[in-house]
Amino acid sequence: MSRYSWLSLLRHGAGQPWARQWRDAAPKAAYDVVIVGAGGHGLATAYYLAKEHGVRNVAVLDKGWLGGGNTGRNTTIIRSNYLQPESAALYDHALRLWETLSREINYNVMYSARGVLMLAHTHHDVQVFKRHVHANRLQGIDNEWLTPAQAAAFCPGLDISDRVRFPILGAALQRRGGVARHDAVAWGYARAASALGVDIIQNCAVTGILRDAAGVVSAVETTCGPIATSRVGVAAAGHTSVIMAMAGLRLPLESFPLQAFVSEPVKPVLPCVVMSNTVHAYISQSDKGELVFGAGTDAYTSYSQAGGLHVAGETLQAVLELFPAFRRLRLLRNWGGIVDTTPDRSPIIGLTPVPGLYVNCGWGTGGFKATPGSGHVFAATIATGVPHRLAAPFALERFVTGRLIDEAAAAAVAH
Ligand code: FAD
Ligand code: PYC
């Protein structure tokens, strides 16, 4: 793989053709590890397996195209202002990796730490966000409380008057929070993993998980034939329950559609990310100029990637409640993804009762921000067979022991 640099840009500008970014691999008969799902989490896992653990005989299989799941459908908000110490540590691990990711994988993922502002409109919001601010500061994570005037100074365009239906009483700001380019994250990890020998196989759906006489994983059945392996890592987001059922496992997961929306592009009008639980919407502006926004999941479980029309209407109403001026913009597109939520709104990362089968799921509406950290700790867990220190609290067993990690409030607007 040639490294991207000013020099390579000059060479290609002078006519040298660009090479393919990753190999279009044909499946081999056997691999040391098979990862199911070529979203950001699966690709990052494969990259760190190869890079940090020397496990290079790895295949990443996807039933569609890489990054075509939630990784390519999300609104790209990145932050680590979670309440519980276990989650704050995990998400901040990811945030630290974001800060150097473009250099690490030699691919511009356009991580932009433009600040995430969480608006408080009720006294309950004020109490909850101040609690998050205090907890985060004790955990060594940046988060600060702003008065309405400070919030408007940070994010011009916010209406802090009391003429609006839900006046802003203050806001929690995480300055290191921001956004990144979702496709670039998938492409960058794919390119870097492929360069280390990982096979990325698109249009290859896993249809079965086979076990030997001792019950240990021995192969996966796929639409491109059987593949032998003793370790399978599932990172399939909304379709995790379907895949785990192939091994006879039922996980505490529900899958819901979650929608995203973009407006036509306009000149820079919104310099930061704004989230509001009470009005129930979040919004940022992409580097292309589009306003990118969304709100909550559908109320009913579904595998439809469309989502309910009434949710679209409510999301538009909420955004316009916050920013009435955006009423004049045209909506360009909207789409949905299938998010997998757990009862405590925290992910599940680790081993399963089936030897050789590992799972990384339950990120619900908030797993994009975790992508590098999730891949990093999942790779260590698969490589060693022992949960990574930061992944250990997120084991499946917590739903038996009762040591839940309740992040319903930190999950913000979405669920
Ligand atoms: P995915 O990217 O969904 O990848 C899973 C892959 O598994 C898919 O490519 C799929 O094709 C593949 N697959 C499924 N079944 C099979 C099979 N049988 N065989 C082979 N492959 C299979 N998170 C944030 O942090 N910030 C946000 O702002 C944010 N906004 C969101 C907005 C929307 C509209 C949505 C839908 C989600 C949002 N999220 C956000 C959540 C985030 O997108 C996800 O948590 C994260 O992208 C999950 O990544 P992943 O790699 O686990 O899953
Ligand atoms: O987790 O920050 C988040 C988020 C924002 C929009 C969807 N999820």
Side-chain angles (χ1 to χ4, degrees), residues 36-42 61-65 68-71 73-77 204-206 235-237 239 243 246 258-260 282 337 339 363-369:
V36 185
H41 290 232
L61 311 180
D62 203 286
K63 67 176 179 159
W65 67 96
N70 293 345
T71 297
R73 294 166 184 273
N74 79 91
T75 45
T76 80
I77 297 174
C204 181
V206 170
H239 289 84
I243 293 164
M246 296 172 192
L258 177 67
Q259 302 183 54
Y282 50 86
V339 298
W363 294 98
T365 60
F368 177 72
K369 66 175 80 64

Side-chain angles (χ1 to χ4, degrees), residues 10-25:
L10 281 178
R11 274 202 310 269
H12 291 295
Q16 180 181 323
W18 293 96
R20 285 183 75 97
Q21 299 201 27
W22 57 83
R23 287 173 300 110
D24 204 9

Side-chain angles (χ1 to χ4, degrees), residues 244-256:
M244 299 310 276
M246 296 172 192
L249 292 180
R250 187 154 177 248
L251 263 57
L253 287 175
E254 288 184 308
S255 292
F256 297 92

Side-chain angles (χ1 to χ4, degrees), residues 165-180:
R165 192 135 64 101
F166 298 98
I168 294 170
L169 305 182
L173 170 64
Q174 185 173 34
R175 291 181 193 268
R176 288 159 66 230
V179 290

